[in-house]
Structure formats: C-alpha cells, structure tokens
Amino acid sequence: MAPDSRFAPPGWAGIVTLGTATVATVPTEAQATALRRAVAALPTPALTDPEALAAVLPFADVLGPATLAYAPEAVPEAPRGAPEAEDIEQLPPDHYEVRSLLAAAGPADAGESGLADITSPAFTVREGGRAVAAAGYVLWPAATAHLCVLTAPDLRGRGLARRAAAAAVAHARSARLLPQWRARPAASRRVAAALGFHELGRQLSVRLP
C-alpha cells in the first residue's frame, strides 16, 4: 500500500512490470487485498493488459498500458542529414516559451508529454523566435530521470523531439541518473528507439472502486 506513489495518479492503483518482476501500488489496504488476488491469478504479461486484468479485478477507469524503456550508457549521435535547427537552449521549466508550447499542443498532448511537471531545465529547440520542441525530466525515486518530450503539432516528423530529448538524456546522465522513457503513442516510441532506448517493461494505472 502506497497512497503517495508516483506510479499512478492520486487515488489510483499502479502496476509496473519489468521483465518477470512486478511492482504494484494502491492507496488503501482494501484495494491492496483485491490487487494481490489479481496478481496471483494472472501471469506477468497479463497484469498490464486492461482486458485480462478487468476479468479478475473490476476497475472504473484505466490509463495505459504504456511501455517503459531505458537509455544505454551513451546517446547515439544525430544521423547525417538530420534537419537543421538552432542550438539547444536551456530554459526554466516555467518559461513562457515552454508554456506557449504546451498551450499550442493542446491538453491531451501536453498531458501525455508530462512536460509541465519537469524538475530539470527545459531543453528546447527554437525556430522563428519560439520554442518548437522541448524535453526535460522529472526526478523519480531510485535516481531515475523520467523523460518528458513535446513538439509543436505543426512541426512534427522533423526529428526535433529527438534533438531536444538527446540533450535531456545527456543532462540526466551527467547527473548520474537513469533515463526512463514512458510512451503510449507509436511516434514517441519511435523517438525513444532512435535514441537507443530499450523497451524493458510496461505500466498500467487503474482506478479501483
């Protein structure tokens, strides 16, 4: 039982699988009992499958599943022929250009990115006097840097997210943190793969009765 866990939104249960290991958190003891039964009844891969989990643990709402990937020791260099952009610039997380980027992306994409919650600087790619992509990370337990990346909707597909994320990953590495990439959209998973991240687990959050 861990009501303050960051594995899931407040009041939700969070399930994380890494390889054959599973960590689950819940806000109350009664919910912990129900979740223990579910964990005992299902194989590890099914614990982050909403349909399989619902068969043994009814829930009111769900977020995910999302993949969890982790960075290698070094971030690959940008490929030859990568789109040109201005240099990466570090901005405070609450800088007005970062807020403008979040607003332009809309609530759904901004929320999915997690960029509004970063505790690191915002590593931004700027074009035309504005931030068109930004990345940073939230410091999680066990010296984990949880990556958050966002690109302006009208400029996606140009490798800008990769440029910004590479700078954030390098910063995390210099602080001796383990970069972690959580993704649901296929585009986000492709950026992680391009940076050499390896998918090792999955995360699911459910709101229990």
Side-chain angles (χ1 to χ4, degrees):
M1 187 175 71
D4 298 324
S5 168
R6 300 176 73 175
F7 279 1
W12 290 49
I15 302 171
V16 173
T17 61
L18 290 173
T20 59
T22 302
V23 176
T25 64
V26 291
T28 70
E29 186 59 44
Q31 293 169 338
T33 300
L35 189 56
R36 288 190 192 100
R37 293 197 202 100
V39 170
L42 295 175
T44 299
L47 291 172
T48 51
D49 180 334
E51 292 186 6
L53 186 64
V56 296
L57 181 69
F59 50 80
D61 205 352
V62 61
L63 290 173
T67 61
L68 292 174
Y70 296 87
E73 289 298 324
V75 178
E77 295 181 0
R80 294 181 180 179
E84 293 295 331
E86 296 179 23
D87 291 341
I88 298 292
E89 182 175 346
Q90 291 189 34
L91 297 177
D94 60 349
H95 192 276
Y96 75 90
E97 287 195 26
V98 178
R99 295 199 303 268
S100 295
L101 177 61
L102 287 163
D109 284 357
E112 179 69 29
S113 75
L115 189 67
D117 301 320
I118 61 174
T119 54
S120 73
F123 299 87
T124 61
V125 180
R126 301 180 73 252
E127 289 185 350
R130 66 177 177 127
V132 295
Y137 58 84
V138 181
L139 184 60
W140 276 23
T144 300
H146 180 69
L147 270 292
C148 305
V149 187
L150 184 64
T151 302
D154 57 328
L155 295 174
R156 292 173 183 171
R158 293 179 46 198
L160 302 178
R162 184 183 182 208
R163 282 180 56 86
V169 170
H171 187 274
R173 280 291 187 201
S174 70
R176 298 185 178 182
L177 302 175
L178 173 65
Q180 171 184 276
W181 195 292
R182 176 188 178 279
R184 282 188 290 174
S188 181
R189 295 174 68 181
R190 287 194 294 269
V191 174
L195 288 171
F197 277 75
H198 302 288
E199 293 186 354
L200 301 177
R202 282 159 57 98
Q203 180 182 15
L204 185 74
S205 299
V206 294
R207 184 163 59 86
L208 300 176

